[in-house]
Amino acid sequence: RDAKAQAKYEPEDFIENVLQLTKDIEPSDYSKISNVLDTAGNTLDYRRYGDTFFELLVTGGLIAPGGIIEYDEEYGRLPFCLFELATVDDPLTGAKSWTNLIIKLTRRYKYLERIFSKTSEHVLENVHRYSEDDNRKLAAGVGVLISSGFLTMEPLRILQKEHLTKDGVALRFFTDLLRVYLKDSSVDQLRRALARARIDHLIDFFPPNKRDDDCFARHFEAEDMPELIELHAAARATAERGHFVYDLIDIISDKAARAGEGDEDAYKSTNVSLAKAAKTAMRANKWEEPQVVVLVWDAIMHATESALKPEQMEQLAFLQIKRHSPVLELLTSEPKSELALLKHVQAHAYKDPRLTKYFGRIVYELYSADVLSDSAIIFWASKGAAPEGKAEFLKQTQSLVRKLETMASDDEDDSDDEE
């Protein structure tokens, strides 16, 4: 058969041509396989049959409707596909060799990266049709592709479909994949990869009747993957903090909509509601005061996001501080809380250029409202300031810090005189 028979433009013919070109090559001769596939791109239509090509490289055949794998009648299964190269006892070694073939091929034909990435969703959507052994091999292959940066985790969202989660197939596959991924990547890298792929809840890979924290913990304890339990707990905590902040924003927005200009009673009522919500959240989530005060700050300053001009930002920021400083004062009853808030304000001012030049004044306003004490500000300036924007922020607060240090020194002198 002539390899140029691809003129028929049929997937079966494309597969047959690839099989014919590689039939005499040892499956372990990766260099020769890579060279042949590289050259074959000059005659075979990789661009048109890129999806078929990836299915072939993964399964050794063509995924027919219904997820059934069909193999060529004459040549059978592609001998260097993932399902052949990876073994049941050690799927990772073969998966790494297979991944190297994929990466070398796509370096030569860059457009195949996008095609292979898209086709991976179709391959994963049929995991319930493959054998358990082949799924272990596929999990290893996809895991290595992701950890190498070739694939993102976005295709894994397809595993959250009900027909894949209901019998635990998606969970088994996802668990095997994570085990492979974490061999070469950290939990923090995993967290970022999941966030970029918009995979917000790992528990969505579980069967619907097992989507609770207890089932999640038992599963990954049995798999000896405690880092996943910690990751899930951290994600839960982050979500709870987010919900809390938005609850506070709703309280502020609702009260502000009802209050008239200068309606002090309305703002006092808002602060009472904010304080109650904060205390309730502290009890429910076992949060400490330093954790809560920074979240309350975020909710209070949410109003500044609507500012379109710098002068509007300034006006809104200080208006919010003036209105809601009693709540911040209530939640800074200990030095740790004061320092936590001050560091958080510093980070906020550093990240938002519109607030940067007002940092010094914000600190002064918080001091004047008895939210921050002189000792907290002095400690922050001498030892507690974060590196981000430190020089600029110390410059802005220099006069206030000097004043407070002088006052503290005078107090010490008075004490000595009394003795």
Side-chain angles (χ1 to χ4, degrees):
R1 295 184 183 91
D2 187 347
K4 294 187 179 181
Q6 93 288 353
K8 294 180 180 179
Y9 295 107
E10 293 292 338
E12 292 81 2
D13 292 324
F14 174 84
I15 288 175
E16 188 175 3
N17 288 326
V18 173
L19 288 165
Q20 186 200 17
L21 286 169
T22 58
K23 63 183 174 66
D24 296 325
I25 305 175
E26 284 293 322
S28 58
D29 192 346
Y30 304 124
S31 177
K32 192 168 184 179
I33 292 170
S34 183
N35 290 335
V36 169
L37 292 180
D38 191 317
T39 304
N42 296 322
T43 54
L44 299 182
D45 196 344
Y46 283 175
R47 190 181 296 274
R48 181 167 185 177
Y49 292 114
D51 54 348
T52 299
F53 196 13
F54 189 67
E55 290 181 17
L56 176 66
L57 291 170
V58 173
T59 69
L62 181 66
I63 302 176
I68 305 302
I69 303 173
E70 295 180 347
Y71 302 111
D72 185 81
E73 291 183 0
E74 182 176 350
Y75 295 104
R77 200 182 206 182
L78 184 72
F80 54 87
C81 70
L82 174 62
F83 286 177
E84 284 289 338
L85 290 181
T87 63
V88 176
D89 295 333
D90 179 22
L92 187 56
T93 301
K96 286 183 175 179
S97 299
W98 175 81
T99 298
N100 288 335
L101 285 176
I102 296 292
I103 291 175
K104 286 181 181 178
L105 183 63
T106 53
R107 281 177 185 163
R108 173 70 171 83
Y109 302 97
K110 293 292 291 182
Y111 57 83
L112 285 177
E113 272 190 43
R114 179 184 56 81
I115 298 173
F116 284 4
S117 179
K118 185 64 180 174
T119 308
S120 66
E121 293 183 16
H122 177 60
V123 174
L124 293 173
E125 192 173 13
N126 291 287
V127 293
H128 61 309
R129 301 295 187 188
Y130 312 145
S131 70
E132 187 175 333
D133 289 345
D134 282 346
N135 271 336
R136 285 190 63 206
K137 299 171 185 179
L138 180 59
V142 176
V144 176
L145 285 177
I146 293 173
S147 63
S148 69
F150 180 86
L151 279 183
T152 69
M153 286 202 168
E154 195 163 344
L156 301 181
R157 289 163 56 191
I158 203 83
L159 295 172
Q160 295 177 343
K161 286 191 171 185
E162 185 179 355
H163 73 280
L164 299 178
T165 61
K166 65 179 182 180
D167 295 324
V169 175
L171 177 59
R172 180 70 265 155
F173 183 90
F174 189 58
T175 302
D176 289 341
L177 184 146
L178 290 178
R179 194 186 305 281
V180 169
Y181 179 85
L182 289 171
K183 285 184 180 295
D184 296 315
S185 305
S186 68
V187 174
D188 196 49
Q189 287 174 312
L190 172 61
R191 179 187 57 77
R192 292 197 297 269
L194 291 168
R196 285 193 295 269
R198 302 189 305 281
I199 297 177
D200 302 318
H201 307 293
L202 295 181
I203 209 164
D204 288 343
F205 292 95
F206 279 66
N209 63 340
K210 294 184 178 180
R211 289 177 186 171
D212 59 65
D213 292 342
D214 189 46
C215 286
F216 190 98
R218 285 205 307 270
H219 173 75
F220 285 108
E221 280 174 0
E223 296 291 335
D224 194 24
M225 300 174 75
E227 62 269 46
L228 270 299
I229 301 173
E230 294 170 8
L231 180 66
H232 177 66
R236 282 284 203 211
T238 299
E240 286 297 331
R241 290 193 293 270
H243 294 324
F244 172 62
V245 170
Y246 279 104
D247 286 344
L248 297 184
I249 290 171
D250 287 342
I251 291 173
I252 294 170
S253 301
D254 182 58
K255 298 282 187 179
R258 298 181 188 181
E261 188 65 32
D263 189 345
E264 295 303 321
D265 288 339
Y267 294 121
K268 286 180 181 178
S269 174
T270 302
N271 289 334
V272 170
S273 297
L274 292 174
K276 285 182 177 178
K279 294 297 184 181
T280 300
M282 288 173 69
R283 287 193 298 271
N285 298 291
K286 297 181 180 179
W287 289 339
E288 299 293 331
E289 192 180 81
Q291 295 173 278
V292 175
V293 69
V294 297
L295 300 177
V296 173
W297 169 268
D298 288 342
I300 289 172
M301 297 304 288
H302 178 76
T304 63
E305 293 183 7
S306 62
L308 300 176
K309 299 178 180 178
E311 56 268 24
Q312 290 178 317
M313 165 64 82
E314 179 185 11
Q315 182 181 4
L316 281 171
F318 293 109
L319 184 62
Q320 289 297 92
I321 292 172
K322 180 181 177 181
R323 286 174 175 172
H324 303 298
S325 58
V327 185
L328 296 173
E329 181 185 2
L330 179 69
L331 295 171
T332 48
S333 64
E334 53 187 74
K336 286 193 300 183
S337 305
E338 293 181 70
L339 189 59
L341 176 60
L342 193 41
K343 285 184 173 181
H344 192 69
V345 172
Q346 179 187 350
H348 188 173
Y350 178 76
K351 291 176 183 176
D352 191 337
R354 299 174 302 170
L355 274 181
T356 301
K357 67 179 181 179
Y358 301 120
F359 174 77
R361 186 180 162 193
I362 291 172
V363 173
Y364 178 78
E365 293 294 334
L366 291 173
Y367 168 71
S368 299
D370 291 328
V371 175
L372 296 177
S373 65
D374 51 357
S375 58
I377 295 172
I378 292 171
F379 181 84
W380 170 83
S382 61
K383 299 178 182 178
E388 292 77 15
K390 180 177 179 179
E392 170 64 21
F393 295 143
L394 287 178
K395 182 179 179 182
Q396 289 185 30
T397 55
Q398 186 177 51
S399 60
L400 174 60
V401 172
R402 284 178 178 172
K403 176 183 175 181
L404 296 177
E405 287 175 336
T406 300
M407 290 169 58
S409 178
D410 289 344
D411 289 343
E412 288 178 7
D413 291 341
D414 290 342
S415 298
D416 291 340
D417 291 342
E418 289 176 7
E419 292 176 5

